[in-house]
Amino acid sequence: MIETARTILAEAVNPVSFSGAGLSAESGIATFREPQTGLWAKYDPMKLASPEGFAADPELVIAWYNERRRRAAAAQPNPAHRALAARHDMVHIVQNVDDLLERAGARDVVHLHGSLTRDRCSRCTHRESVDLADPPGLHRCPECHGLMRPDVVWFGESLPRADWTRAETAARAADVFIVIGTSATVYPAAGLIDIARASGASVVVVNVEPGGAPGTQLTGPAAEIVPQLLR
Ligand code: BV8
Ligand code: ZN
């Protein structure tokens, strides 16, 4: 299958990548499907990653994000991040909020769901960059005194318009859409696969689990498959 996919890619004029938590799994960053480990095992990410969760217990939500920030800071880009980052001809659309693709050298990354590397005010447009290795605790906006929160998209929140537009445009223009390490369950992000296919793109799926989104299936870990696919 890898040869079929490599042929498809060799002929591609406008390949685009679309990835989820599986891209960073081999860097040691837990995916959403895995049960949260340790302290967080008793919490539901769907609740913590929501405005309701933050309103109910802002300290807990900030502690969860800061734990994830520290893990992201300690993690290293894996060979899949590096193979993607080397392809400056490709737009990389990610659902992940870590910065491993950027740390691998990628320049054109579209974060559909925001980034752990920034905080934003829950009331005004004030934003701050965050040192993932040493993130601040719960604190207030210096401009309006609103609570600062991670600059990520929570469940029930709409995606940043500019990022969505860039991703949708890229999916429509793609002739090959490489779907890496995602369960394709969260919308509207997962809808990009249908948009790409409807616009005539060939879909190549890299996932440890067979099945999932229809397309050329490359079953195996991203850190092994993606470098072979893109070399
Ligand atoms: C919106 C940022 C509306 C935060 C994330 C019912 C109730 C409430 C809401 C909804 C509902 N039905 C639908 C919705 C909408 C909801 C949604 O889709 N829910 C789903 C669960 C049904 N969507 C939203 O709420 C979105 N907003 O709709 O707003 C609106 C509209 C207009 C105006 C106002 C409002 C916002 C969704 C964004 C949520 N934020 N992340 C944070 O990270 O903390 S989502 C988060 O979960 C990720 O970003 C990602 O998108 C998703 C997890 O998916 P994956 O990345 O795929 O990870 P997962 O663990 O699921 O899968 C890993 C895959 O990798 C697996 O397939 C596995 O096999 C594979 N894998 C593992 N290891 C490897 C591997 N593959 C290769 N190699 C490996 N080594
Ligand atoms: Zn503010």
Side-chain angles (χ1 to χ4, degrees):
M1 266 315 194
I2 188 88
E3 281 320 310
T4 312
R6 280 171 48 75
T7 307
I8 292 170
L9 219 60
E11 288 156 9
V13 173
N14 193 2
V16 170
S17 77
F18 173 64
S19 54
L23 173 65
S24 297
E26 287 150 282
S27 297
I29 294 187
T31 69
F32 271 71
R33 311 193 87 51
E34 281 156 70
Q36 295 292 312
T37 50
L39 173 66
W40 304 106
K42 56 180 179 291
Y43 296 103
D44 172 7
M46 291 284 291
K47 290 233 179 4
L48 293 174
S50 75
E52 297 74 22
F54 184 65
D57 191 339
E59 296 277 358
L60 177 74
V61 170
I62 295 302
W64 183 55
Y65 276 95
N66 284 352
E67 176 62 24
R68 291 172 63 193
R69 282 166 159 161
R70 288 187 199 92
R71 292 220 182 121
Q76 294 305 323
N78 65 54
H81 292 111
R82 287 201 293 276
L84 288 170
R87 291 295 298 262
H88 295 306
D89 60 316
M90 291 173 64
V91 175
H92 301 301
I93 304 166
V94 299
Q95 300 171 82
N96 301 338
V97 292
D98 66 59
D99 62 345
L100 291 175
L101 207 41
E102 289 88 342
R103 283 171 47 199
R107 289 194 291 270
D108 201 357
V109 183
V110 182
H111 280 273
L112 288 178
H113 294 154
S115 169
L116 292 172
T117 61
R118 293 187 308 273
D119 271 342
R120 71 176 165 83
C121 176
S122 45
R123 261 205 326 232
C124 78
T125 56
H126 177 71
R127 273 177 166 70
E128 298 167 354
S129 64
V130 168
D131 172 3
L132 295 184
D134 181 23
L138 180 67
H139 64 290
R140 289 194 172 274
C141 166
E143 320 266 323
C144 79
H145 237 61
L147 279 180
M148 295 298 290
R149 48 159 288 175
D151 191 10
V152 299
V153 179
W154 280 332
F155 287 99
E157 294 187 324
S158 43
L159 278 58
R161 181 172 303 289
D163 295 304
W164 173 255
T165 305
R166 277 198 63 208
E168 195 179 16
T169 306
R172 283 196 201 294
D175 54 357
V176 179
F177 202 64
I178 309 168
V179 178
I180 303 167
T182 182
S183 59
T185 47
V186 172
Y187 285 81
L192 290 170
I193 304 168
D194 307 320
I195 290 172
R197 187 183 292 110
S199 308
S202 307
V203 176
V204 175
V205 180
V206 178
N207 201 304
V208 285
E209 287 166 5
T216 305
Q217 296 290 335
L218 303 177
T219 304
E224 183 192 310
I225 302 274
V226 174
Q228 288 176 27
L229 180 63
L230 296 181
R231 78 166 187 272

